[in-house]
Amino acid sequence: MSVSPTLTDAPSFSGCFHCGLPVPDGASYPIQFESETKQACCRGCQAVAQTIIDSGQGAYYTHRTALPATPREAEAELAQLGLYDLPEIQESFVRVEAEHIREAALILENIVCAACIWLNERHIAGLPGVLSVEINYATRRARVRWDNSRIQLSAILKAVSDIGYIAHPFDPGRSDDIHRRERNTAIKRLAIAGLGMMQVMMYALPTYTATDMTDDIRLLMSWASLVLTIPVVLYSAWPFFIGTWRDFKRRTLGMDVPVALGVGTAFVASVYSTFSGHGEVYYDSVTMFVFLLLTGRFLEMNARRRAGAAVEELVKLIPAATTRLPHWPARDEEQVPVARLTVGDHVLVRPGETLPADGEVVEGDSAVSEAMLTGESLPVSKSVKAKVVGGSLNQASPLVVRVEKLGADTRLASIVRLLDRAQSEKPRIGQLADRAAAWFVGLLLVITVAVGLVWYVVDPSKVLWIVVSILVVTCPCALGLATPAALTTATGRLTRLGLLTTRGHALETLARATDLVFDKTGTLTHGRLSVRRVVPLGGRSESEVSAIAAALEAGSEHPIARALRDAGSASIVASEVRNTPGRGVEGTIAGQAYRLGSPRFAAAGATPPESDGSASWVALAEADELIAWFALADTPRADAPAALADLQRLGLRLHLLSGDAEAAVKATAQQLGVDDWHAGALPEDKLAYVKALQQQGRIVAMVGDGINDAPVLAGAQVSIAMGEGADVAQAAADMVMLGSRLATLGEGVELARKTQQIIRQNLGWALGYNLIAIPAAALGFVTPWLAGIGMSASSLLVVLNALRLSDFISKDSGVRIQDSGNARPEAAPLLPGS
């Protein structure tokens, strides 16, 4: 093997300065080192290398004698030096939760099946100081939480390496590179197995069909088949043997064990027969089985990649580089990696570019698409002082944004973190399947030995291929994949629809929900006042009195002031404005005094016009003459009636709980068609109401947005928080609506029910297949090559069935899913005094 160039030759080296991988064409990730510019292969390597250099650790690059030959060696070198333990390097991928508590996003290599996930989770979780670990099978992304005072990140990475896997900080570019390398390796192994299988079959076919073949020719065919089978076993099937050896060292029985035993047993027996000159050879079965199994795993790998596409799409939203304005408000520009931004920096985002971080607009007026984050298809207007989210797309005009949150603190990072957690957590049915898969292999080996002993007595000539068939035909992988494949696909689809799943049990519970309880303000309504009605008096026009009210409230941030400003034009200006807290405002316009506020303040206690009681009235007076009434109310969301009707058609019973006055709550309930409503409810009253429903055997889903909703959100079986609501409400919720589209709720219920159906189908198939395949193989009805087809098809079918959820589209209106038929209980009473 040629030695990589030394650092003194590095300027002519075309690989990454940090890890040694080739730099993609057109990529530009410069690293400043000793007055020279080096190139990195991705922004992750660029950020790590520059941080190492800037933190005074550049001696790492000075003293190494060669660039690492493989990415694994690069990671090993860094782990040995403990550089991943430096706070400067951890900034880009580690989130600090408390004084010593850390959470990191890692990516794992060499993951081939669900057993690999199980092994890594158990191994990492057993390390002292590790608080939790969750690994997403579809994306190979791991979330690890640890106590930094008890264990360092480098120790965790080394522990993963000790069991034959590779873990390193997650980077979207590196993730794509890993996938490409694994895919290319899989294609090579598959090609060798395919070519070997075809050639061996050419030699095996005459031995099956020819009736006059001499023993010498038959032996020659066996030797030729042996030569062709060796690379298939030692290269194509090598990962199965490595996995089995790793399992034996850990004293576990993984899903590679039966495969390796089957292939190894058949191959060793065939080699013995070839050397001894008598007995059967199974080279054709060995090569065909390896080829079929690798084909199934290759297709499964691509399907798994597609299942995890939602998370990958979100992660890739943040651009690699951006335009920074280093001397704002001066307009000089510089292109910098996003990893080098700091809070307080100003960045210029041109039309067509993606915002690099969360922040506030300081200049410009544009429309920003947040479709990938919220599911809202229409762009959102953004102007000065508006908050923007990293990963959203600027569509209209340039914006200057002051950076407020970066990296793991951004809203996008929190969405990815919650989505990873939800996809990694397993519901009860998934946990049961994992426990079954854990003892499945041990039971299989016992059955295989028993069947082998029986056939040794009945017909010794059939023992070998029947034992191999049993080992090969069984498929615990399908059992392990049944739940995570469906959950990953479903949560990804829900995220694209605008409903973020943050807990693993949420989909299962939402599918079984019987009652949906809504908060009113901010959930079914916009949560902000608007002018519902204007009653001009004394011959004034509506536009005139609205303009006067807007002028008087021009300098106030009160909700009533904002509503009046939105309803009127800014064509006139008021002077000598004075505010009387709790009563109203007065000022002068064109030399005339005006008062605006409560009826007692502005209208001398005059009675407002009649209404349904849901609106608050504001009076406008010129001197002592009443000239207008304004009715203000919190209006329901435009899509609320259709969304709630949709939920009712799905068989859900709807409830409305609110702390607002009875008249306002009643009006909203009647407008939206909700029969069960209760007003004046305190947080403890809402929780008691939900508990009363649960005592009647109902499964309650709660939707809320405010701080006062946090207790009831935590008390419901499944809870949904509005994305525009308080952070504490979102923290207590199992799901978060990223946008304001209430129709997402109905889509979520449908998809949750469909997901449970898919999981049941997958588990039913996995169990049914093994219950039929194992007895058939034990009775001698399944040949080894046919067993290979069955095992590969079993795992692949589970993943493909789960992928049907990725294209889920809500059905048209109408009765789609009927209620279970349970009698509707009487409304649960609120506590006395509510």
Side-chain angles (χ1 to χ4, degrees):
M1 183 178 69
S2 61
V3 179
S4 301
T6 62
L7 194 66
T8 57
D9 298 325
S12 63
F13 185 74
S14 60
C16 174
F17 176 70
H18 174 63
C19 73
L21 286 174
V23 177
D25 294 337
S28 178
Y29 303 104
I31 301 169
Q32 298 301 319
F33 179 68
E34 294 185 346
S35 303
E36 294 184 17
T37 301
K38 314 294 185 181
Q39 288 295 327
C41 63
C42 65
R43 67 183 180 93
C45 284
Q46 179 194 42
V48 171
Q50 198 65 57
T51 304
I52 291 171
I53 296 167
D54 294 344
S55 62
Q57 301 292 329
Y60 164 71
Y61 297 107
T62 303
H63 295 304
R64 66 179 184 180
T65 59
L67 291 171
T70 66
R72 179 174 184 175
E73 291 176 17
E75 303 301 332
E77 288 183 19
L78 288 175
Q80 290 171 3
L81 292 176
L83 292 176
Y84 279 132
D85 298 330
L86 293 175
E88 300 94 325
I89 294 180
Q90 292 187 0
E91 284 182 0
S92 62
F93 66 94
V94 173
R95 187 170 68 98
V96 179
E97 293 187 359
E99 183 179 359
H100 297 297
I101 307 303
R102 305 288 187 269
E103 180 182 84
L106 306 175
I107 188 166
L108 299 180
E109 296 187 49
N110 299 340
I111 298 293
V112 296
C113 68
C116 300
I117 301 295
W118 175 82
L119 174 61
N120 276 277
E121 285 183 337
R122 286 193 59 184
H123 183 62
I124 298 174
L127 298 174
V130 172
L131 304 179
S132 66
V133 56
E134 298 162 350
I135 304 175
N136 187 324
Y137 175 66
T139 62
R140 287 97 176 277
R141 285 161 57 86
R143 291 279 172 186
V144 182
R145 292 177 68 250
W146 73 95
D147 185 339
N148 208 48
S149 64
R150 299 176 59 196
I151 189 172
Q152 298 293 307
L153 177 60
S154 57
I156 297 175
L157 301 182
K158 185 178 183 305
V160 175
S161 178
D162 289 342
I163 59 172
Y165 298 88
I166 305 171
H168 47 72
F170 176 78
D171 176 84
R174 180 67 63 85
S175 177
D176 288 341
D177 179 72
I178 290 172
H179 174 69
R180 283 193 296 269
R181 285 191 285 110
E182 290 184 346
R183 188 174 185 274
N184 291 339
T185 300
I187 290 175
K188 291 177 185 177
R189 295 188 190 278
L190 187 60
I192 295 297
L195 291 172
M197 178 194 68
M198 289 187 291
Q199 294 299 318
V200 170
M201 290 300 295
M202 289 177 59
Y203 291 122
L205 186 60
T207 64
Y208 291 143
T209 58
T211 57
D212 56 350
M213 182 177 294
T214 64
D215 291 340
D216 291 341
I217 297 297
R218 192 179 297 276
L219 183 60
L220 179 63
M221 294 289 189
S222 297
W223 277 101
S225 297
L226 170 61
V227 172
L228 293 168
T229 304
I230 287 175
V232 175
V233 173
L234 297 185
Y235 177 70
S236 296
W238 190 245
F240 301 116
F241 295 108
I242 292 296
T244 299
W245 175 245
R246 182 173 57 229
D247 290 337
F248 284 164
K249 286 198 302 182
R250 294 282 303 166
R251 298 181 180 180
T252 60
L253 294 175
M255 298 178 191
D256 284 333
V257 172
V259 175
L261 289 177
V263 171
T265 302
F267 180 69
V268 170
S270 300
V271 171
Y272 174 80
S273 296
T274 302
F275 277 92
S276 64
H278 63 271
E280 298 292 332
V281 295
Y282 301 94
Y283 297 123
D284 54 336
S285 296
V286 169
T287 55
M288 181 178 290
F289 166 57
V290 173
F291 173 74
L292 292 172
L293 188 59
L294 290 177
T295 299
R297 285 201 170 180
F298 179 74
L299 295 174
E300 179 191 322
M301 177 178 67
N302 291 326
R304 184 180 62 226
R305 175 81 173 178
R306 182 184 168 194
V311 177
E312 297 299 318
E313 289 171 2
L314 288 174
V315 170
K316 293 177 183 177
L317 287 180
I318 298 295
T322 189
T323 302
R324 182 166 63 184
L325 306 177
H327 304 108
W328 173 260
R331 308 298 299 193
D332 49 320
E333 305 175 5
E334 63 176 0
Q335 287 290 315
V336 297
V338 171
R340 296 182 63 182
L341 289 177
T342 59
V343 174
D345 281 350
H346 291 79
V347 294
L348 174 64
V349 185
R350 295 182 172 88
E353 294 181 347
T354 303
L355 279 86
D358 293 0
E360 181 179 286
V361 177
V362 297
E363 181 182 281
D365 191 347
S366 184
V368 174
S369 172
E370 299 177 348
M372 287 294 294
L373 298 171
T374 66
E376 299 282 355
S377 58
L378 297 177
V380 182
S381 296
K382 300 291 182 181
S383 56
V384 176
K385 293 187 178 181
K387 300 294 183 180
V388 290
V389 181
S392 52
L393 179 67
N394 185 20
Q395 293 187 330
S397 304
L399 292 174
V400 177
V401 177
R402 182 175 61 250
V403 175
E404 295 183 340
K405 292 182 180 180
L406 286 165
D409 296 327
T410 62
R411 186 184 183 197
L412 177 61
S414 66
I415 290 175
V416 172
R417 188 162 51 247
L418 291 172
L419 187 57
D420 270 343
R421 183 180 70 181
Q423 293 179 345
S424 302
E425 291 180 351
K426 297 181 179 68
R428 289 173 300 174
I429 191 171
Q431 294 170 0
L432 179 63
D434 282 352
R435 287 195 293 269
W439 53 258
F440 184 90
V441 174
L443 179 61
L444 167 66
L445 296 180
V446 172
I447 293 174
T448 303
V449 172
V451 172
L453 292 174
V454 171
W455 275 101
Y456 184 78
V457 174
V458 175
D459 188 349
S461 65
K462 295 182 179 181
V463 171
L464 181 62
W465 69 265
I466 287 179
V467 166
V468 171
S469 296
I470 295 175
L471 290 171
V472 168
V473 77
T474 52
C475 191
C477 283
L479 197 61
L481 286 172
T483 300
L487 284 180
T488 297
T489 308
T491 52
R493 178 58 181 161
L494 270 182
T495 302
R496 288 193 291 268
L497 291 173
L499 187 59
L500 175 65
T501 305
T502 67
R503 297 289 180 184
H505 74 87
L507 278 175
E508 180 186 20
T509 310
L510 184 62
R512 298 184 296 113
T514 59
D515 292 66
L516 197 56
V517 179
F518 287 93
D519 174 50
K520 183 181 78 70
T521 305
T523 303
L524 295 178
T525 66
H526 289 287
R528 58 180 182 269
L529 294 174
S530 62
V531 176
R532 296 273 294 273
R533 181 184 173 194
V534 180
V535 182
L537 304 172
R540 307 296 182 103
S541 67
E542 182 175 331
S543 59
E544 179 185 0
V545 296
S546 297
I548 294 172
L552 292 170
E553 296 285 14
S556 174
E557 290 301 319
H558 192 278
I560 291 178
R562 286 196 296 267
L564 291 171
R565 284 201 305 272
D566 292 342
S569 64
S571 57
I572 56 179
V573 178
S575 61
E576 302 178 8
V577 177
R578 298 181 302 277
N579 179 55
T580 304
R583 301 183 66 188
V585 65
E586 53 189 320
T588 302
I589 299 175
Q592 184 64 51
Y594 291 91
R595 280 191 169 196
L596 177 70
S598 66
R600 183 184 297 274
F601 175 72
T607 303
E610 292 185 3
S611 69
D612 58 8
S614 63
S616 299
W617 288 96
V618 173
L620 174 62
E622 179 182 351
D624 294 326
E625 179 188 357
L626 183 64
I627 62 173
W629 288 100
F630 298 89
L632 283 78
D634 184 6
T635 56
R637 298 179 186 270
D639 63 339
L644 267 60
D646 187 41
L647 290 167
Q648 288 174 325
R649 283 192 292 268
L650 288 171
L652 290 165
R653 181 181 179 184
L654 306 184
H655 308 258
L656 176 59
L657 302 182
S658 176
D660 292 351
E662 181 175 345
V665 177
K666 179 180 179 181
T668 301
Q670 291 177 343
Q671 187 174 352
L672 299 179
V674 178
D675 296 330
D676 299 319
W677 57 269
H678 295 273
L682 299 174
E684 56 268 27
D685 299 332
K686 295 179 181 180
L687 181 59
Y689 186 89
V690 167
K691 294 294 184 184
L693 286 175
Q694 292 170 340
Q695 289 173 2
Q696 298 177 32
R698 312 297 289 180
I699 298 175
V700 181
M702 175 70 197
V703 186
D705 79 315
I707 293 176
N708 64 336
D709 293 322
V712 68
L713 287 171
Q717 280 105 328
V718 61
S719 53
I720 305 168
M722 302 296 290
E724 301 169 344
D727 290 342
V728 66
Q730 296 180 26
D734 303 311
M735 310 179 86
V736 178
M737 290 183 62
L738 299 175
S740 58
R741 199 171 62 94
L742 288 173
T744 306
L745 291 172
E747 295 166 351
V749 171
E750 282 191 276
L751 183 56
R753 293 176 178 178
K754 184 68 174 178
T755 301
Q756 294 308 303
Q757 180 183 348
I758 293 291
I759 290 176
R760 287 192 292 268
Q761 290 173 354
N762 284 349
L763 290 174
W765 162 256
L767 292 172
Y769 165 81
N770 283 292
L771 288 175
I772 295 174
I774 293 176
L779 293 173
F781 297 133
V782 180
T783 59
W785 67 267
L786 185 60
I789 294 178
M791 181 179 183
S792 302
S794 180
S795 295
L796 185 60
L797 183 63
V798 164
V799 177
L800 293 178
N801 190 39
L803 279 178
R804 293 194 297 138
L805 295 168
S806 64
D807 298 321
F808 172 84
I809 299 176
S810 180
K811 299 177 183 178
D812 294 332
S813 60
V815 179
R816 292 166 289 189
I817 301 175
Q818 298 294 335
D819 196 5
S820 59
N822 295 337
R824 289 163 59 97
E826 295 298 323
L830 285 169
L831 291 176
S834 63

